[in-house]
Amino acid sequence: MSDPVLATLNLNKSFGALKATDNVSIDLKPGEIHAIIGPNGAGKSTLIQQICGGLRPDSGQVLLCGQDVSGHSTQARAQAGLGRTFQISQLCMEDTVLENAILGAMGAEGLAWRFWQPALKRPELRDRAEAALERVGLSDDRDICCANLSHGQRRQLEVAVALTLSPRVFVMDEPMAGLGAGGSKRLTGFLDGLRVEAPILLVEHDMDAVFALADRISVLVYGKVIATGTADEIRASTEVRDAYLGDAA
Amino acid sequence: MRLDEKYLNGLMIAGLLALPLWAVMADQPFTITLVTRAVILALAAVGLNIVLGIGGMVSFGHAVFFGIGGYAMGILAFHAQTYTALELGLFTTDGTKFMPVIWLVAMITSGLVAFFIGLLSLRTSGVYFIMITLAFGQMFFYFAISWAQYGGEDGLSIYVRNDFPGLNTLIPIQFYAICFTLLCVVLFLFARLQASPFGLALNAARQAGTRVETVGLNPMRLKLLAFVISGAITGLAGALFADLNRFVSPTMFSWQLSGELIVLIIIGGVGRLMGPVIGACVFVALEHFLGELTDFWHVYLGVILLCIVLFGRGGLIGLLTGKEGAHV
């Protein structure tokens, strides 16, 4: 087996008496999509935040490409190759689609400290940004102000900004959130092809997408991983059925 | 009627050129002084606009930098006019009446102070940021009042305006030319900065700080540098303002002035290149014409401000071009 690109080791996080993350050890191998599922309040967002740098774990480690990044800031983790998308779109609403993508390209190229040449006229930034927009199908909308995008287009742009970073690993927090059936299906197809570029840690409520995409699934309940396995194993597990899936599976 | 912003900007610059030239021909030196005042206030507000308009930081303490610029000019010129030595720890100087040196000192000093104020105050945001910058403003204000060596509460008078090579700065139109040129240079730099990668990142830090972090950039550092650049520009304006009045006093540090700079930007259009310029012109015009009619002209300013905040978020530029301004 190849070494995991991203891993957590015995991660713990409590808020007062509430144990939001309870000894969580998961890993993400090259080329795979590892989905995290669980009921609301299971601690998925808390886990993602600890992986991406928004929250410090009480104990345990986050390993990115074998390196312990538990003490690193969000931006240091991004520079180390972590590309994240948000459950609620974090975009610059007054800027155009292209400008949002350029921001990602600036992060990737380390070109934020330039004061003279317009950002939009720098070929290296533009090429990178437009390539990412092209891939998610937003090329024709590049000059539209982000505030005027539909919800679905914002979700696409959210993915595009992560793409501009050419990350070594994607962490996606409910990329399908609020998408219609058609949009969901298209994004599922896209993510399916994306895993060969960089593995994806996927938090998702859309079970159709999860079962279609995930090589492995971990089920989080009350901060604890109660099961990890392939889609079939998870479907078959009675424990998971009781805790979460109910009759859906 | 909807104007293209470029034409509007061009029109403003043309107006700022034409009005003083007309005043020279019509022999109206006071009009030139008024326009000079507007141009200098605009320059100070362009500085603030980097922080407020692009970076979204509501600094209620920019009078600090305006005052530092003013006192940089006042102190240097005071020592030069009284032929007294100015001891600065390691070295001693006789002061100077040479404008470019004064500007440089004003910009470096206010930039340095901006660095330390920014370092502390940027840890906060929202109301706390407003309050902490206000607190710094008040500190400098009371320090200046108690600084007896340089006039304390009474301030410092400089009898002859400082020198600029090749010009007689005591002639209003020549001093105006200096201020107008500096404003144009700074506006040009502002436009470059706004479109540059740094400007885009700073603008993004205002709108979505988390996003900036997730692409691997540090919003704190972006904002701190913006604060320093902004402080230096407002400091330069302060030095010119003191030179215009040939007088510097603690009122240049007052919180009212910090507030006025914010008001100028809101009237003109937050984050707009020429927002501070239109704002300053309107402000100075109201101050002059309404001030002649009534001592309570601020009431009318208040009504205008209220209308703009309620009905036209893009300020006057937004109203004229039909585009909304930046949300702070």
Side-chain angles (χ1 to χ4, degrees):
Chain A
M1 281 303 272
S2 42
D3 290 336
V5 184
L6 180 72
T8 67
L9 282 180
N10 309 318
L11 218 53
N12 283 291
K13 179 83 191 172
S14 301
F15 298 106
L18 177 75
K19 219 154 169 34
T21 306
D22 191 354
N23 212 23
V24 171
S25 298
I26 51 167
D27 60 8
L28 182 66
K29 299 194 177 71
E32 79 166 344
I33 294 182
H34 187 161
I36 312 277
I37 61 172
N40 286 325
K44 300 188 297 289
S45 295
T46 309
L47 179 62
I48 292 284
Q49 289 228 55
Q50 290 170 84
I51 291 173
C52 295
L55 280 175
R56 289 279 148 88
D58 296 337
S59 66
Q61 287 181 323
V62 178
L63 300 172
L64 184 57
C65 305
Q67 189 197 0
D68 182 8
V69 295
S70 318
H72 289 23
S73 65
T74 304
Q75 57 267 28
R77 293 183 205 202
Q79 281 165 359
L82 199 147
R84 180 190 182 182
T85 71
F86 292 88
Q87 180 182 3
I88 299 160
S89 298
Q90 294 285 330
L91 299 163
C92 302
M93 287 300 168
E94 295 169 24
D95 291 352
T96 63
V97 169
L98 182 62
E99 282 166 339
N100 271 281
I102 291 253
L103 179 70
M106 273 164 38
E109 303 264 356
L111 271 181
W113 301 94
R114 304 298 151 99
F115 305 88
W116 197 247
Q117 203 185 359
L120 294 179
K121 290 199 178 137
R122 282 186 165 267
E124 69 274 45
L125 295 181
R126 235 194 131 104
D127 292 350
R128 191 182 266 269
E130 289 191 341
L133 292 178
E134 172 87 53
R135 292 185 60 190
V136 301
L138 279 176
S139 277
D140 295 338
D141 306 307
R142 67 167 77 104
D143 295 322
I144 294 182
C145 178
C146 195
N148 298 328
L149 290 182
S150 69
H151 176 78
Q153 286 172 314
R154 285 181 199 173
R155 302 307 300 171
Q156 285 169 280
L157 181 54
E158 184 82 20
V159 175
V161 178
L163 285 176
T164 59
L165 298 173
S166 318
R168 293 205 235 174
V169 51
F170 289 101
V171 176
M172 299 196 170
D173 196 355
E174 298 200 30
M176 316 281 173
L179 288 184
S184 222
K185 210 168 168 189
R186 229 176 308 130
L187 189 54
T188 304
F190 181 73
L191 295 185
D192 199 15
L194 193 61
R195 77 180 94 195
V196 294
E197 262 173 63
I200 305 172
L201 187 68
L202 178 73
V203 171
E204 190 48 70
H205 268 304
D206 181 337
M207 285 307 135
D208 291 338
V210 167
F211 284 122
L213 285 171
D215 299 297
R216 283 190 297 157
I217 299 174
S218 290
V219 185
L220 205 61
V221 177
Y222 294 120
K224 245 190 177 93
V225 176
I226 60 164
T228 297
T230 63
D232 290 337
E233 287 165 10
I234 293 297
R235 262 204 204 95
S237 158
T238 46
E239 202 181 350
V240 174
R241 218 174 256 269
D242 293 342
Y244 181 44
L245 288 176
D247 297 329
Chain B
M1 187 187 68
R2 295 283 184 240
L3 269 169
D4 193 284
E5 196 171 333
K6 267 185 199 152
Y7 292 120
L8 187 65
N9 295 349
L11 225 63
M12 285 297 300
I13 292 290
L16 286 177
L17 264 176
L19 188 59
L21 288 179
W22 166 82
V24 170
M25 304 224 257
D27 197 23
Q28 299 263 0
F30 184 65
T31 306
I32 303 179
T33 304
L34 270 188
V35 185
T36 311
R37 188 180 149 79
V39 161
I40 295 172
L41 285 176
L43 183 62
V46 172
L48 177 60
N49 206 16
I50 294 176
V51 157
L52 179 76
I54 310 180
M57 299 162 263
V58 184
S59 165
F60 203 3
H62 254 54
V64 167
F65 313 119
F66 201 63
I68 287 175
Y71 272 86
M73 172 276 178
I75 291 169
L76 287 172
F78 171 78
H79 284 280
Q81 82 181 6
T82 55
Y83 303 102
T84 49
L86 170 59
E87 311 255 353
L88 286 168
L90 289 176
F91 67 101
T92 309
T93 154
D94 297 332
T96 179
K97 296 280 285 174
F98 188 57
M99 276 189 192
V101 173
I102 289 172
W103 298 341
L104 205 67
V105 172
M107 290 178 76
I108 291 172
T109 322
S110 36
L112 271 176
V113 172
F115 177 79
F116 289 108
I117 292 182
L119 212 55
L120 289 170
S121 52
L122 284 171
R123 291 161 184 273
T124 63
S125 60
V127 174
Y128 296 99
F129 182 78
I130 298 176
M131 285 301 126
I132 198 167
T133 47
L134 172 65
F136 275 113
Q138 292 303 88
M139 273 167 56
F140 276 83
F141 177 72
Y142 285 108
F143 176 77
I145 280 189
S146 59
W147 207 5
Q149 191 189 353
Y150 296 114
E153 208 166 351
D154 300 328
L156 271 177
S157 279
I158 304 303
Y159 303 115
V160 182
R161 200 169 275 156
N162 295 302
D163 311 317
F164 191 86
L167 291 176
N168 179 354
T169 54
L170 280 172
I171 298 173
I173 190 70
Q174 299 206 9
F175 182 65
Y176 176 77
I178 293 175
C179 299
F180 177 72
T181 310
L182 284 175
L183 176 68
C184 289
V185 169
V186 169
L187 282 172
F188 178 66
L189 293 179
F190 180 92
R192 293 302 298 214
L193 183 94
Q194 195 171 29
S196 74
F198 175 77
L200 198 138
L202 181 63
N203 195 27
R206 167 175 62 85
Q207 299 174 62
T210 340
R211 163 57 67 201
V212 175
E213 285 182 354
T214 22
V215 301
L217 302 173
N218 186 336
M220 254 298 277
R221 276 192 212 158
L222 293 165
K223 287 182 171 183
L224 184 58
L225 181 66
F227 206 74
V228 170
I229 297 173
S230 164
I233 293 174
T234 304
L236 171 66
L240 292 172
F241 192 76
D243 234 336
L244 171 69
N245 301 322
R246 281 169 279 161
F247 175 65
V248 51
S249 78
T251 50
M252 282 184 76
F253 281 118
S254 69
W255 65 267
Q256 285 92 337
L257 197 123
S258 296
E260 276 170 13
L261 293 180
I262 297 177
V263 167
L264 298 188
I265 295 180
I266 293 176
I267 290 179
V270 178
R272 297 302 178 86
L273 174 64
M274 295 295 271
V277 182
I278 291 201
C281 291
V282 169
F283 183 85
V284 170
L286 285 177
E287 183 183 48
H288 178 63
F289 294 111
L290 285 178
E292 276 182 347
L293 301 176
T294 163
D295 282 342
F296 307 110
W297 69 276
H298 280 100
V299 172
Y300 299 96
L301 180 71
V303 171
I304 291 179
L305 196 62
L306 205 64
C307 290
I308 285 177
V309 171
L310 286 177
F311 304 115
R313 289 292 303 268
L316 287 176
I317 294 192
L319 230 54
L320 291 168
T321 59
K323 276 190 290 184
E324 235 181 78
H327 292 263
V328 176

